[in-house]
Amino acid sequence: MIIIYHDPGNENEAEKLLKLMKENNIEATIIPVSKINELIPKDNEIIISLIPFRGGHNESIKEIADRYNAKYIKIPLEMIYVNLKKYLSDKKCKDVCFLYWNAKRYVELQEEDLDKIRQAIKNELGIESYSNCEECHDCFIALTLMKGKISEKALSYYKNCKSNFVLEDMLSVIKEDLVKWIKSIRDAGGGV
């Protein structure tokens, strides 16, 4: 099994992911997306992408999986949304700004995924949400798995705007579900 994550820009954060997998007996090759060109998966090997939204990175991972007859599985958007909803349900947010890495390729796929999350949060929680804001908002959420540059930006806005709260990384919110999901893929041999 290969697990691919977006480079956080902070090696300590990558170590946290490795430690989490080890603590939960998940044996996998864990690599940043910046090194996928070195990737040569085995025939039928499972490749799990922890990059939350569709876009260029996930398309590249999928192409590699196809080339080597591997099984590509992306972290489910539903898992991200369910955990965000749970997290936001007890917060006092009038509005929320989501910060994330902008896709350079297949931008429309990333936008579709983000729109689904934003619309669901508005419909189910009544919270307006915005993307990669430059202005102040009540709450800021970095839609990245681990703390890094986007987290720093969210934290900076939070402090400068004197906002209600900031979420610096998704791993702190989805950790339990993520581990269960990866184990279920492993146990099913990728047949999800």
Side-chain angles (χ1 to χ4, degrees):
M1 179 185 302
I2 298 169
I3 297 175
I4 300 174
Y5 62 91
H6 198 294
D7 304 67
N10 178 340
E11 282 312 305
N12 292 334
E13 288 296 309
E15 287 298 320
K16 285 181 189 177
L17 179 63
L18 293 169
K19 184 179 176 192
L20 177 67
M21 295 301 119
K22 190 173 185 178
E23 288 171 351
N24 287 282
N25 299 314
I26 296 171
E27 301 222 3
T29 301
I30 302 172
I31 64 167
V33 73
S34 62
K35 296 189 177 180
I36 62 167
N37 290 333
E38 302 167 17
L39 187 61
I40 301 175
K42 296 176 193 132
D43 186 54
N44 225 23
E45 187 166 17
I46 300 165
I47 301 175
I48 295 175
S49 172
L50 298 183
I51 298 170
F53 306 112
R54 293 176 300 156
H57 286 322
N58 274 310
E59 289 300 313
S60 294
I61 297 165
K62 193 170 17 173
E63 288 167 11
I64 290 168
D66 289 346
R67 187 177 324 134
Y68 291 98
N69 195 37
K71 295 179 182 178
Y72 162 80
I73 304 169
K74 187 187 95 46
I75 185 171
L77 199 56
E78 182 68 15
M79 181 195 311
I80 295 165
Y81 169 68
V82 165
N83 282 282
L84 271 177
K85 179 181 161 187
K86 204 182 313 177
Y87 182 79
L88 282 169
S89 65
D90 67 345
K91 304 291 185 251
K92 304 288 185 227
C93 286
K94 292 181 217 109
D95 64 4
V96 63
C97 173
F98 292 119
L99 298 160
Y100 50 90
W101 290 106
N102 286 321
K104 292 184 178 109
R105 298 178 301 129
Y106 302 99
V107 175
E108 66 284 352
L109 297 177
Q110 182 185 49
E111 289 302 315
E112 283 176 27
D113 286 352
L114 286 158
D115 285 345
K116 285 177 188 173
I117 287 179
R118 291 181 56 231
Q119 195 60 47
I121 284 173
K122 181 177 182 180
N123 293 344
E124 294 187 37
L125 297 176
I127 299 172
E128 289 290 336
S129 62
Y130 303 89
S131 295
N132 280 341
C133 319
E134 296 292 328
E135 65 280 347
C136 285
H137 289 278
D138 206 26
C139 303
F140 290 91
I141 293 179
L143 290 176
T144 59
L145 188 66
M146 295 172 274
K147 291 179 185 173
K149 292 179 181 175
I150 297 295
S151 307
E152 290 167 10
K153 190 174 180 181
L155 190 57
S156 172
Y157 280 135
Y158 162 74
K159 288 177 180 175
N160 292 337
C161 294
K162 296 178 178 63
S163 301
N164 278 338
F165 82 89
V166 62
L167 176 63
E168 296 178 66
D169 68 289
M170 289 298 300
L171 190 58
S172 61
V173 174
I174 68 169
K175 188 180 342 186
E176 288 178 27
D177 284 351
L178 181 67
V179 166
K180 285 181 205 168
W181 176 70
I182 292 172
K183 283 182 173 183
S184 72
I185 291 168
R186 177 197 63 197
D187 296 345
V192 290

